[in-house]
Amino acid sequence: MQDDLVRLEANPDLPVYLFTGFMEAGKTKFIQQTLEDKRFETGERTLLIICEEGEEEYDPERFVGRKVIVRRVEKETDFTTELLRQWQFDTGCERVLVEWNGMWMLDTLYRAMPERWVVYQEFMFADARSFQLYNANMRQLMFDKLQSCELLVLNRFDRSEDIMPYHKIVRAVNRRCDIAYEDESGKVRYDDIEDPLPFDKAAKRIEIADRDYALWYRDLNEELPDYDGKTVRFKAQVALSDELEPGTIIVGRQLMNCCAEDIQFAGLIATGNTLAGVQSGDWVSLTAKLRVQAHPGYTQPGPVLKISEISAAAPAEEEVATFY
């Protein structure tokens, strides 16, 4: 799977290759193999940052070229911008590999990365035998790693086992991540299950069922140009703000990504035929044309709804929208 790593090209950015997952997930073994591979190890001075110690240990003598400088971080609070800048200066590194501690939130890494440090690729590793248990008991940590990874490697996978439970866990968080199932012999099967959206984006009027609001909201954010000029119909709650001009409201739903602690309002700017006397928290059904445009309510061009029909509605059966 070393072919999944991109080649370094001349670039003022400092490429960062990020490897996440929990203890004994296979990160160290994969990184060791990567640094032994001549297709990846082509002479660049490499800074390897290790954030946890497992049973597997690195063997630097086997690294190709021997231009790998190892640094370790023992505590999450020690992972700072100042430390990374100092290591970059001391080593003159041309790229960085990070073996991230699965118990640390990725926001720590992203907040600490100096200017021009850019994550080129992010891989997550997991032991298939404990993956579902970790997801049930450490959902927030699992969500944190899954949401941005480009490839999930589920190793020690039993080939006789159904992949659908694993597929559903991943797709509830990340629709674009590739999933590889690696058995004990090293044979890899890639996930090829298709996940059609539960609504028709090509329809003259896109009907969003109550249970599908989270999926639609995520697809809207990921594929915003696809919705420019489309008419949509859905149920939502109203939020009012004194900072918006008269006749403008916010419509949306409370949305939960991974757990109750991260519930937040996922709303959209709406103008036009607003409902007289509507109050914050009221439920409405609305039909509107969506345009991607600049609006004071957004920091950049975003979805603005021009309401053509709106009426009071009963709350959704599940008032908090989820992905699963």
Side-chain angles (χ1 to χ4, degrees), residues 131-199:
F131 182 76
Q132 296 184 62
L133 182 65
Y134 276 35
N135 182 66
N137 296 324
M138 298 191 296
R139 176 66 181 172
Q140 188 170 12
L141 286 168
M142 181 74 80
F143 180 91
D144 179 61
K145 310 303 180 297
L146 281 175
Q147 65 179 333
S148 55
C149 75
E150 298 167 60
L151 171 66
L152 167 66
V153 180
L154 284 161
N155 50 52
R156 305 177 183 94
F157 189 80
D158 183 345
R159 294 175 61 187
S160 66
E161 194 171 357
D162 183 10
I163 68 172
M164 184 57 77
Y166 301 88
H167 174 91
K168 287 182 176 180
I169 289 172
V170 178
R171 287 294 174 256
V173 181
N174 186 331
R175 284 176 37 214
R176 301 187 178 191
C177 170
D178 290 325
I179 310 170
Y181 304 90
E182 183 177 14
D183 64 22
E184 291 281 6
S185 71
K187 185 174 181 180
V188 177
R189 170 189 175 184
Y190 283 91
D191 194 311
D192 58 0
I193 298 174
E194 294 187 11
D195 292 292
L197 291 168
F199 46 85

Side-chain angles (χ1 to χ4, degrees), residues 2-3 7 32-42 62 64:
Q2 267 61 41
D3 290 337
R7 286 299 183 85
Q32 175 74 41
Q33 293 173 343
T34 296
L35 292 173
E36 292 177 19
D37 192 328
K38 293 180 180 179
R39 293 170 297 176
F40 180 77
E41 182 52 68
T42 55
R62 292 164 54 190
V64 176

Side-chain angles (χ1 to χ4, degrees), residues 210 213 235-236 252-255 264-266 283 316 318-321:
D210 291 353
Y213 182 86
K235 184 185 290 183
R253 296 273 302 276
Q254 296 290 338
L255 190 151
Q264 54 187 309
F265 191 71
W283 283 85
E318 298 292 338
E319 295 196 22
V320 176

Side-chain angles (χ1 to χ4, degrees), residues 59-204:
D59 183 358
E61 295 298 317
R62 292 164 54 190
F63 294 161
V64 176
R66 310 285 177 83
K67 291 186 177 181
V68 180
I69 305 98
V70 178
R71 295 288 184 269
R72 300 177 187 274
V73 181
E74 301 295 336
K75 297 184 298 183
E76 187 174 3
T77 53
D78 292 339
F79 201 94
T80 64
T81 304
E82 293 72 23
L83 179 67
L84 300 182
R85 282 176 178 158
Q86 187 62 52
W87 283 351
Q88 182 179 6
F89 177 79
D90 292 343
T91 65
C93 59
E94 299 169 272
R95 64 182 173 186
V96 179
L97 275 65
V98 179
E99 181 180 357
W100 191 246
N101 189 316
M103 304 305 292
W104 299 355
M105 299 298 283
L106 279 173
D107 187 54
T108 299
L109 179 142
Y110 284 107
R111 283 190 286 106
M113 284 201 311
E115 186 178 1
R116 306 313 297 258
W117 284 44
V118 179
V119 174
Y120 268 35
Q121 289 183 305
E122 181 179 337
F123 302 86
M124 179 179 176
F125 294 81
D127 186 333
R129 298 170 301 183
S130 57
F131 182 76
Q132 296 184 62
L133 182 65
Y134 276 35
N135 182 66
N137 296 324
M138 298 191 296
R139 176 66 181 172
Q140 188 170 12
L141 286 168
M142 181 74 80
F143 180 91
D144 179 61
K145 310 303 180 297
L146 281 175
Q147 65 179 333
S148 55
C149 75
E150 298 167 60
L151 171 66
L152 167 66
V153 180
L154 284 161
N155 50 52
R156 305 177 183 94
F157 189 80
D158 183 345
R159 294 175 61 187
S160 66
E161 194 171 357
D162 183 10
I163 68 172
M164 184 57 77
Y166 301 88
H167 174 91
K168 287 182 176 180
I169 289 172
V170 178
R171 287 294 174 256
V173 181
N174 186 331
R175 284 176 37 214
R176 301 187 178 191
C177 170
D178 290 325
I179 310 170
Y181 304 90
E182 183 177 14
D183 64 22
E184 291 281 6
S185 71
K187 185 174 181 180
V188 177
R189 170 189 175 184
Y190 283 91
D191 194 311
D192 58 0
I193 298 174
E194 294 187 11
D195 292 292
L197 291 168
F199 46 85
D200 184 3
K201 288 171 66 170
K204 184 175 181 181

Side-chain angles (χ1 to χ4, degrees), residues 204-241:
K204 184 175 181 181
R205 186 174 76 175
I206 304 172
E207 300 276 353
I208 309 301
D210 291 353
R211 66 181 179 275
D212 298 329
Y213 182 86
L215 291 171
W216 174 65
Y217 187 82
R218 180 171 65 186
D219 193 63
L220 174 64
N221 280 275
E222 292 178 351
E223 310 290 348
L224 184 56
D226 291 354
Y227 290 92
D228 191 26
K230 295 292 185 69
T231 297
V232 294
R233 181 166 180 79
F234 60 96
K235 184 185 290 183
Q237 283 184 285
V238 172
L240 303 180
S241 172

